[in-house]
Amino acid sequence: MKEITTKTYIKWFKDMSFWRKFEDKCRSLYLKQKIRGFLHLYNGQEAIPAGLTHAMDLSKDKIITAYRCHILPISMGVDPKKVMAELLGKKTGTSHGMGGSMHIFSRKHRFYGGHGIVGGQIPLGAGIAFADKYFNRKAVTLTIMGDGAVRQGSLHETFNMSMLWKLPVVFICENNKYAMGTSVKRSSNIEEIYKIGKSYGIPSYPVDGMDPKKVSQVAYTAIERARKGEGATFLDVKTYRYRGHSMSDSELYRSKEEVHLYKKKDPILKLKNIIIQNEWETIENLNEIENEVKKKVESCVEFAEKSDFPSLEKMYNVVYHETNYPFLDK
């Protein structure tokens, strides 16, 4: 794995601060009705992509995930301006404005979506890994899901096949405790989710998802195991989302006191304290980084708002690949 240095911590702080501000701006745009449909924010979970991408080979490894999917593609190199444009439904977006918040996609950067069906991405991730093994690409697919998706039967079928065929896949549960709004304790007889993988012979581990260094170290071991042809690993990455499941979530299932307690464990704040305590950077310079981040987010919004919406003809051509689609004139 690439060495974790002072520069790594500074990069993590800069990236994670940008991702947080990006999501905050998305919330603001949603309230102004500039972003429509559903919106699932990533606030609090930023240490996960920071750690994963440090451990990955971004020239060939892949990620597939569920619908909380704005930040992961940005962490893999997708232009955040294009992600913002997609959120606003503009033709300069990652899917020409026709995927929206839940369906960010980039073949170039090997990010295979945002999927709206709970758990639907799990067998797809194994399928991508199967193709990599078949063609001997030495690539690994990180298949990410929420704790709610672990209840889906497709996970169990996929776990079984991934071990039978020794697929180069790492299954990652972003365990933020509540799925849509029901705690793990109320929805599963097995509260320690990582133990589910053990019944299939999958090496399975709990991971501190609020620390990018810990995420990176465990992820690297899992990725290299997969790359060597030894099969899957299942990581139960324990994290916490500071916003509701989506913008329509009234959050009646948890107390304000609990959220406040977890905000004391904020991964960005922890990074900032580590950097300051070790005198790797001054407070003034970190504040300047935060100011630069805000400007970068505003440039994303400006790009998106100045972009045009896709034409009706373009929309149907992209979706259906038919020049004579019968409903164009109706």
Side-chain angles (χ1 to χ4, degrees):
M1 183 177 71
K2 300 186 294 289
E3 185 181 359
I4 297 175
T5 65
T6 301
K7 289 183 178 179
T8 308
Y9 274 89
I10 301 298
K11 182 180 185 302
W12 280 342
F13 176 75
K14 186 174 184 178
D15 288 346
M16 291 165 61
S17 296
F18 173 72
W19 301 337
R20 177 72 60 83
K21 295 297 182 184
F22 187 94
E23 294 289 69
D24 285 343
K25 178 57 70 171
C26 288
R27 182 177 185 275
S28 174
L29 292 169
Y30 187 91
L31 293 172
K32 294 176 182 177
Q33 297 188 348
K34 292 184 177 182
I35 296 176
R36 302 298 184 95
F38 294 98
L39 188 72
H40 305 84
L41 302 176
Y42 208 77
N43 299 49
Q45 301 183 193
E46 295 89 355
I48 299 174
L52 293 181
T53 52
H54 186 80
M56 295 168 66
D57 181 344
L58 291 176
S59 69
K60 57 186 175 183
D61 293 341
K62 305 168 178 70
I63 285 181
I64 187 169
T65 189
Y67 43 78
R68 199 178 303 277
C69 62
H70 313 152
I71 299 309
L72 284 161
I74 295 174
S75 75
M76 296 182 72
V78 176
D79 187 342
K81 291 181 179 179
K82 292 185 177 181
V83 175
M84 185 63 78
E86 185 63 36
L87 291 166
L88 268 66
K90 300 301 183 73
K91 67 180 184 181
T92 52
T94 53
S95 298
H96 305 281
M98 285 167 279
S101 168
M102 297 171 69
H103 303 290
I104 308 299
F105 181 91
S106 174
R107 182 177 180 183
K108 176 182 177 182
H109 293 281
R110 292 162 294 281
F111 180 78
Y112 291 98
H115 291 266
I117 303 298
V118 175
Q121 76 279 15
I122 300 171
L124 293 177
I128 295 169
F130 178 85
D132 283 336
K133 180 173 182 175
Y134 185 86
F135 290 107
N136 195 30
R137 294 173 180 144
K138 299 299 180 184
V140 178
T141 298
L142 277 60
T143 300
I144 301 175
M145 70 208 77
D147 50 280
V150 176
R151 317 287 171 243
Q152 297 294 323
S154 60
L155 174 133
H156 301 275
E157 295 180 15
T158 304
F159 274 17
N160 188 50
M161 285 190 291
S162 69
M163 289 306 290
L164 279 174
W165 297 340
K166 295 291 186 287
L167 298 182
V169 59
V170 179
F171 298 106
I172 298 168
C173 176
E174 291 180 328
N175 183 358
N176 55 33
K177 293 171 63 74
Y178 288 108
M180 283 186 67
T182 304
S183 69
V184 173
K185 185 175 182 179
R186 291 183 60 202
S187 61
S188 175
N189 191 47
I190 300 175
E191 290 185 48
E192 294 294 334
I193 288 176
Y194 74 92
K195 293 180 179 179
I196 294 172
K198 291 182 178 295
S199 62
Y200 296 94
I202 301 177
S204 305
Y205 310 99
V207 185
D208 180 358
M210 307 301 270
D211 186 332
K213 181 177 180 180
K214 292 179 180 177
V215 172
S216 183
Q217 289 171 333
V218 178
Y220 179 78
T221 300
I223 290 168
E224 289 308 299
R225 164 185 158 81
R227 208 182 307 281
K228 292 174 184 175
E230 297 175 6
T233 301
F234 180 40
L235 305 180
D236 176 9
V237 183
K238 299 177 184 297
T239 184
Y240 197 85
R241 54 174 168 77
Y242 295 146
R243 300 290 186 186
H245 171 74
S246 70
M247 289 294 291
S248 60
D249 183 1
S250 57
E251 302 183 60
L252 299 177
Y253 48 84
R254 63 183 182 180
S255 66
K256 292 181 180 179
E257 290 75 20
E258 179 184 294
V259 177
H260 181 71
L261 178 64
Y262 273 94
K263 283 188 175 181
K264 291 182 179 180
K265 303 176 183 179
D266 189 326
I268 299 175
L269 181 60
K270 286 170 67 175
L271 273 180
K272 189 173 186 177
N273 289 337
I274 289 171
I275 292 168
I276 292 171
Q277 288 169 8
N278 286 280
E279 298 183 346
W280 293 336
E281 197 55 273
T282 64
I283 296 177
E284 290 74 19
N285 286 344
L286 292 181
N287 290 339
E288 182 57 33
I289 287 174
E290 291 177 330
N291 290 331
E292 291 174 5
V293 158
K294 292 176 183 177
K295 293 177 183 177
K296 186 177 177 181
V297 171
E298 290 303 325
S299 71
C300 293
V301 176
E302 182 180 5
F303 172 83
E305 292 193 322
K306 287 184 177 180
S307 297
D308 294 325
F309 289 102
S311 66
L312 186 64
E313 291 78 9
K314 177 69 172 176
M315 180 166 63
Y316 283 116
N317 286 342
V318 168
V319 175
Y320 295 101
H321 295 285
E322 293 184 20
T323 57
N324 61 342
Y325 189 69
F327 300 106
L328 277 177
D329 298 326
K330 296 184 179 181

